[in-house]
Amino acid sequence: MGGEIAQVAAAAGLPVVLKDVKQEFVDHGLEKAKEVTQGQLGGLVKKEKLTQEQADSQLEETLGRITGTTDYDGFGDVDFVIEAVPERMEIKQSVFAELDEVTPGHAILASNTSALSISEIGSATTRPDQVVGFHFFYPASVMRLIEVVEGDDTSEETAQAAANFAMQIRKNPIRCSEEPGFVVNRVLNSAASEIWRHQDESGASPEEIDKEIAEAKVTPMGPFFLSDLLGLDTVLHVAEHLQSSYGDRFYVHPQMKELVEAGNLGQKTGQGYYTHGG
C-alpha cells in the first residue's frame, strides 16, 4: 500500500519521502509506484490524450518526486506523514513515537489504519491533537474515497487540514469518528459476514460464491478474492475487532483463521483462498 500512496501524492505534484525498514521493501514500493504510473499514462496514450513522448516525460517527473529511504533523515521538513505499517497497535505506537521525535512540530501525523483507535495511536506522541486517521482503500491509486478519522484529541484544524490534503491529492474525503470499523469497513463487513456465514453453513466453495456475486454484478469481485488481495491477516484482524466490538452479528470466517495461522495470507504470500502467481 505504501508504494501506491506515495504514487498518489507524487502524481498530484507533491514531493514524497517513502520510508521502510529494509531497502528491499523500499525498492518494492518504488517499483509499485512505477508500475501504477506506467499503467495510468499508458491508458492516456491509448486514448490519444498523450503522446508516448509526453507520457515518458511525465513518468520521469512523477517518479522523480519520490525519494526512497530506510532512515528518517528526510523527515525534518515534512508537513504531512502517512503511516501504513501492519495493523498492530504496538507497531503503530512505536512508529508514531519515532515520528514524533523526527518531524517538525507543525507536521500532521496520519495513520492509514482501517480499524484501530486513533486516540490510542496518538497517545504515543506529544501531539495527539495532530494525529488523525487517513484511511485509503485498495487499490489506493484507483479508489477515490479516503476516511478522515478523528480521535478523541484530534483538533478541528487537523481534521480539516487532512480533508483538504485528501482533496489536494485528488481524493474524496469523508470525516468520521473512531467508532470500530469507521464507516466503510463497518458497512462492508456487515455484508461480508453474511456471505462468510453462508459459505460455512452451506459448504459452497469460495470460488463458486465469488463467481455468482461477480456475475450478478453486485460488486466487481467476491469477498473471498478481495480478502486475498487485501491480505487475510489484515481482513481477519478487522473482522475480529468488529466482532469483539459489536458481537456475533459480525462473523469471523473459520477458514480465514486457519489460512492465517498457516501463514497463507493471500496474494502477498501466493496462497490464500486462491493460489496466486506462477
Side-chain angles (χ1 to χ4, degrees), residues 58 73 77 85 91 94 113 135 151 166 178 195 200 230 244 252 271:
Q58 285 194 28
D73 287 349
D77 60 354
V85 302
I91 301 176
S94 176
T113 183
H135 180 214
E178 61 175 358
I195 297 171
D200 197 33
L230 295 173
S244 68
V252 177
Q271 184 65 49

Side-chain angles (χ1 to χ4, degrees), residues 81-143:
V81 181
I82 304 169
E83 159 275 313
V85 302
E87 290 281 75
R88 292 291 178 267
M89 182 57 73
E90 65 274 15
I91 301 176
K92 301 279 190 188
Q93 288 185 322
S94 176
V95 169
F96 270 75
E98 293 173 356
L99 291 171
D100 195 33
E101 291 280 340
V102 301
T103 57
H106 72 272
I108 291 174
L109 307 181
S111 175
N112 184 48
T113 183
S114 59
L116 296 180
S117 166
I118 300 303
S119 300
E120 197 171 343
I121 293 172
S123 70
T125 75
T126 60
R127 58 179 107 173
D129 59 314
Q130 291 166 236
V131 175
V132 67
F134 203 72
H135 180 214
F136 288 80
F137 293 87
Y138 183 87
S141 58
V142 175
M143 302 300 284

